[in-house]
Amino acid sequence: MTTLVTGARGGVARGVLTRLVAAGHGVRIASSDPTDLEPPAGVEAVRLSLREPDNAASVLRDVTSVFLYAEAAGIAAFVEAARAADVRHIVLLSSASTAAPDPSGNPLAASHHAVEVAVAESGIPHTVLRPGAFAGNAIGWKYQLLGTGSIQLPYPNAQVAPIHEDDIADVATAVLVAGDHLGETLDLNGPESLSFVEQIAILADVLGRELPFTEVTRDEALAGLTRHMQPGYANALLDLWESAVEPEPVSGTTEAITGRPGRTFREWAHDHREDFATGVPQRG
């Protein structure tokens, strides 16, 4: 039995790969550009573009389960090939944004929602993972510090419960190995709700450095965000932060699936200190 792990350059996918190999499971990893992958011994790395999965049939040969990144462009062809290959379980990495009232019309959710629908309609047994805010989003603050010397916050008191990417990998691996939670949607977030200001304070404490921040207007934030994302997506993200005035309820899914509490934002900060090794002002 072989599990196909797509998007193998992504942090969650790498975590799933490591855990499956450690558990002794057969794994094949796929990426649109596998040349820079360094698979462990015994793991085959193959080319697969989820946008144009023209070779999906060969990639899915002898595959019984799939860890799938959400890419709407080629999802119809991919699930058709997965059905033909008799794949028995797809674990889809989706997004909490798909719980929005109109996910097909929400730029944050539309692509993920389309993939959720296609996987559900395929008839293949599946489990949907819907993580909320990734703790790793905080790495973006490093580049703001490099650019302006200050983190730009339009809604500094917005509340999220950021999740460590390793918790997502733990849950995905547990579900793949057990082959359970079929037909279920699992909401995932971290073990505590924190404002952006609180996250910055924790990160500064772990790094032993000042991390200055500046409150900016929505328009100023939009101008910064649209340098690297579409305006519709940026506005939807700002809407989300603007509405996050109450602490985000903690789902508890990580503990329910793995038997241990989710990793805190402080733990994430310790794990990623090297990501902030350069470009962050020294304290004092």
Side-chain angles (χ1 to χ4, degrees):
M1 298 193 300
T2 299
T3 296
L4 175 68
V5 176
T6 70
R9 287 180 291 175
V12 177
R14 292 197 304 272
V16 172
L17 164 64
T18 300
R19 289 157 174 76
L20 288 174
V21 169
H25 286 258
V27 185
R28 181 177 299 147
I29 58 176
S31 170
S32 58
D33 181 12
T35 58
D36 61 350
L37 298 178
E38 297 180 358
V43 173
E44 180 186 11
V46 298
R47 183 194 69 81
L48 176 68
S49 169
L50 290 174
R51 294 186 64 84
E52 297 178 350
D54 54 294
N55 63 330
S58 61
V59 170
L60 288 162
R61 175 179 46 83
D62 301 325
V63 165
T64 53
S65 59
V66 177
F67 176 73
L68 181 64
Y69 271 68
E71 172 53 68
I75 189 60
F78 183 83
V79 295
E80 181 180 349
R83 189 167 50 237
D86 197 26
V87 168
R88 302 172 196 169
H89 191 186
I90 293 176
V91 175
L92 171 65
L93 182 61
S94 185
S95 165
S97 63
T98 57
D102 178 22
S104 61
N106 184 322
L108 290 176
S111 179
H112 290 91
H113 174 68
V115 177
E116 285 192 16
V117 171
V119 170
E121 292 180 348
S122 74
I124 300 170
H126 61 279
T127 309
V128 177
L129 307 183
R130 285 183 176 173
F134 279 46
N137 292 342
I139 293 174
W141 291 336
K142 170 183 173 176
Y143 300 101
Q144 292 188 14
L145 289 162
L146 282 168
T148 66
S150 178
I151 297 168
Q152 311 295 295
L153 295 179
Y155 301 106
N157 295 311
Q159 290 269 342
V160 296
I163 186 167
H164 196 305
E165 66 276 3
D166 283 348
D167 284 336
I168 304 172
D170 283 344
V171 171
T173 303
V175 172
L176 284 163
V177 169
D180 57 7
H181 297 281
L182 302 180
E184 295 184 23
T185 295
L186 304 178
D187 296 318
L188 297 168
N189 60 10
E192 56 187 345
S193 184
L194 298 166
S195 70
F196 291 135
V197 171
E198 289 170 327
Q199 291 177 53
I200 290 170
I202 291 169
L203 186 56
D205 185 55
V206 169
L207 297 175
R209 304 171 186 176
E210 296 291 349
L211 301 181
F213 72 88
T214 302
E215 185 170 359
V216 298
T217 67
R218 182 187 178 105
D219 286 344
E220 289 170 330
L222 183 63
L225 290 170
T226 50
R227 293 191 188 107
H228 54 86
M229 68 177 65
Q230 294 295 322
Y233 191 97
N235 271 304
L237 188 60
L238 289 167
D239 288 345
L240 178 65
W241 293 341
E242 184 180 20
S243 66
V245 295
E246 299 292 338
E248 180 180 346
V250 172
S251 70
T253 302
T254 297
E255 185 167 9
I257 299 292
T258 68
R260 56 150 193 80
R263 296 168 177 84
T264 64
F265 185 77
R266 182 173 291 274
E267 290 176 280
W268 178 88
H270 277 285
D271 290 343
H272 289 270
R273 280 175 293 182
E274 288 303 311
D275 292 319
F276 293 86
T278 60
V280 179
Q282 295 292 325
R283 176 168 284 172

